[in-house]
Amino acid sequence: MTEYWVISAPGDKTCQQTWDTLNNATKSGNLSVNYKFPIPDLKVGTLDQLVGLSDDLGKLDTFVEGVTRKVAQYLGEVLEDQRDKLHENLMANNSDLPTYLTRFQWDMAKYPIKQSLRNIADIISKQVGQIDADLKVKSSAYNALKGNLHNLEKKQTGSLLTRNLADLVKKEHFILDSEYLTTLLVIVPKSMFNDWNANYEKITDMIVPRSTQLVHQDNDYGLFTVTLFKKVADEFKLHARERKFVVREFAYNEADLLAGKNEITKLVTDKKKQFGPLVRWLKVNFSECFCAWIHVKALRVFVESVLRYGLPVNFQAVVMVPARKSMKKLRDLLNQLYAHLDHSAHAHSAAAPDSVELAGLGFGQSEYFPYVFYKINIDMIEKSSA
């Protein structure tokens, strides 16, 4: 799993110096690959506003990530047999996810920087909230369609005791339009075929001799017809059940049978019609959600950096891709580079080196570092849908 760390550190004389110092320090041991994470000059507002916004952005981060995962997961479900193509369908602004993150550019059109930080957060919240609401409606409608189709298809297969018999029987199997006679369909266990053939005429009176016919059989049962007088039909059903022969309720009606087949055809057609537009909607709105999520991360880095490092705004934000086997070394290096920013964090990091797992979620002292830090797991977005 590729893990991305988004950090910020205060500018030295210039932000470029901060970047060079970090880059040179991590390059020597091949500890990480680093990319600048450019955040524009946003409106700072007051200290009280920043403190309040910091908490709200944490909640917004969790919400937007959750919706992003939901959209990705549902796209995987909709793709069904093409699920292996999910990865190539999860794009952000026409780029793959790592490229979007490591080449991040603030979207000035969607999130104008002349707006206050609170307004930008509200824009994102409303945008993603609408996607979440629309997803519920679209997924509910498509799932209902899929469920109806699955139930009908299930009835075309399975045990003769439960499956739809319409596609197994033909008109010639039945006595139709008779005032006195009717044809019943009986399910007989395979082990009892001989018993049925020898004794079905004796189950009640008024059974037409030699009227039985084996129409279909599966691994466990056979489907037989039997013709008898209508007035003994109920008695026959009762006594047949006593002998472990099951009479299935079935009336041969060509119009109804055709309607049933047409219903399946219609549902299959409807599903195909909805599939393309739904996949397109999910792809577009996954991109919208993912891009919004990274903008929330940028907002959090900005707000936290101003709160920690003060004014004027002077910090360098960086996306780091840590080498998998060197994460502890990288964490130690960062603590050495930035321990002077907060002495209590230096002591704490030595005491609890494993606390990085939940870092960046903003909860509890155990996730605190002397520099601004957030973690992004892009692979988890993709795997949540696999």
Side-chain angles (χ1 to χ4, degrees):
M1 183 182 292
T2 307
E3 196 169 284
Y4 296 83
W5 294 0
V6 183
I7 76 159
S8 88
D12 293 330
K13 287 182 181 176
T14 65
C15 290
Q16 185 61 39
Q17 274 184 299
T18 305
W19 165 258
D20 290 339
T21 302
L22 176 63
N23 235 3
N24 292 333
T26 56
K27 200 179 286 180
S28 58
N30 291 322
L31 299 181
S32 65
V33 180
N34 306 324
Y35 303 88
K36 285 184 178 178
F37 189 61
I39 301 174
D41 294 328
L42 300 168
K43 282 189 170 183
V44 175
T46 66
L47 182 62
D48 283 350
Q49 287 171 336
L50 288 178
V51 171
L53 190 59
S54 178
D55 289 340
D56 292 344
L57 285 174
K59 295 170 189 169
L60 182 61
D61 190 345
T62 303
F63 171 66
V64 176
E65 181 183 357
V67 177
T68 306
R69 288 180 190 280
K70 274 199 282 188
V71 175
Q73 184 174 358
Y74 193 60
L75 179 55
E77 287 177 26
V78 170
L79 287 172
E80 294 180 25
D81 298 340
Q82 303 173 56
R83 191 185 284 261
D84 56 334
K85 294 182 180 175
L86 178 65
H87 182 83
E88 64 197 61
N89 281 294
L90 294 179
M91 305 286 279
N93 206 18
N94 298 319
S95 299
D96 60 57
L97 307 188
T99 301
Y100 180 81
L101 177 57
T102 56
R103 302 276 188 274
F104 175 73
Q105 293 293 324
W106 186 273
D107 191 329
M108 301 286 185
K110 273 187 190 158
Y111 313 116
I113 60 172
K114 288 181 181 178
Q115 298 266 7
S116 69
L117 293 171
R118 172 68 65 186
N119 282 358
I120 294 172
D122 287 346
I123 289 170
I124 293 174
S125 180
K126 284 175 187 168
Q127 173 200 10
V128 177
Q130 187 60 54
I131 291 171
D132 190 35
D134 290 347
L135 175 65
K136 284 173 186 166
V137 172
K138 289 178 182 292
S139 62
S140 178
Y142 191 72
N143 288 348
L145 176 59
K146 252 174 45 171
N148 291 339
L149 180 58
H150 175 71
N151 289 337
L152 282 176
E153 287 174 339
K154 198 174 173 184
K155 286 178 183 174
Q156 305 304 312
T157 57
S159 167
L160 284 169
L161 289 170
T162 55
R163 67 165 290 175
N164 188 341
L165 303 178
D167 56 338
L168 302 180
V169 295
K170 296 175 182 173
K171 187 175 183 179
E172 52 263 33
H173 292 139
F174 295 85
I175 299 289
L176 300 173
D177 304 323
S178 167
E179 188 178 345
Y180 301 106
L181 295 175
T182 186
T183 301
L184 300 180
L185 296 178
V186 185
I187 310 301
V188 179
K190 257 194 168 176
S191 60
M192 300 179 72
F193 278 13
N194 290 338
D195 184 16
W196 167 262
N197 285 318
N199 297 305
Y200 78 92
E201 294 177 6
K202 305 169 190 168
I203 291 176
T204 63
D205 296 333
M206 297 185 165
I207 294 172
V208 177
R210 294 185 296 282
S211 64
T212 194
Q213 183 179 354
L214 177 61
V215 175
H216 181 83
Q217 60 181 310
D218 60 20
N219 292 332
D220 302 308
Y221 298 96
L223 173 64
F224 286 84
T225 61
V226 61
T227 300
L228 40 72
F229 277 75
K230 289 178 180 179
K231 66 182 182 180
V232 297
D234 288 340
E235 184 187 350
F236 179 89
K237 290 175 187 177
L238 178 65
H239 293 312
R241 192 182 310 122
E242 291 168 355
R243 293 172 180 243
K244 298 185 179 171
F245 306 139
V246 179
V247 178
R248 288 285 307 271
E249 295 297 332
F250 186 88
Y252 187 89
N253 182 305
E254 287 188 327
D256 290 347
L257 299 185
L258 184 61
K261 287 175 184 174
N262 286 345
E263 187 179 0
I264 289 187
T265 305
K266 180 179 180 301
L267 288 174
V268 169
T269 304
D270 286 351
K271 189 183 169 197
K272 282 179 183 173
K273 275 183 188 173
Q274 290 188 27
F275 175 80
L278 181 58
V279 167
R280 281 193 294 278
W281 185 90
L282 289 166
K283 284 167 66 173
V284 166
N285 286 282
F286 172 81
S287 174
E288 292 289 319
C289 285
F290 186 84
C291 295
W293 185 40
I294 303 306
H295 279 77
V296 173
K297 292 291 187 193
L299 284 175
R300 295 190 77 185
V301 170
F302 181 86
V303 169
E304 191 68 20
S305 298
V306 174
L307 286 173
R308 288 211 197 184
Y309 310 141
L311 294 171
V313 175
N314 182 29
F315 65 86
Q316 178 61 55
V318 180
V319 174
M320 309 181 78
V321 188
R324 288 189 185 192
K325 295 180 180 177
S326 304
M327 286 192 184
K328 188 176 184 312
K329 282 184 185 175
L330 179 59
R331 183 66 74 194
D332 291 342
L333 172 71
L334 292 174
N335 282 333
Q336 286 170 24
L337 278 176
Y338 303 120
H340 64 281
L341 297 173
D342 186 9
H343 296 294
S344 65
H346 180 64
H348 176 76
S349 66
D354 296 329
S355 64
V356 301
E357 275 308 303
L358 295 173
L361 294 179
F363 301 113
Q365 180 65 23
S366 63
E367 293 101 43
Y368 186 81
F369 298 96
Y371 45 90
V372 174
F373 171 82
Y374 296 102
K375 183 165 71 175
I376 298 176
N377 281 337
I378 289 176
D379 290 356
M380 285 176 67
I381 291 286
E382 297 178 349
K383 285 179 181 174
S384 70
S385 50

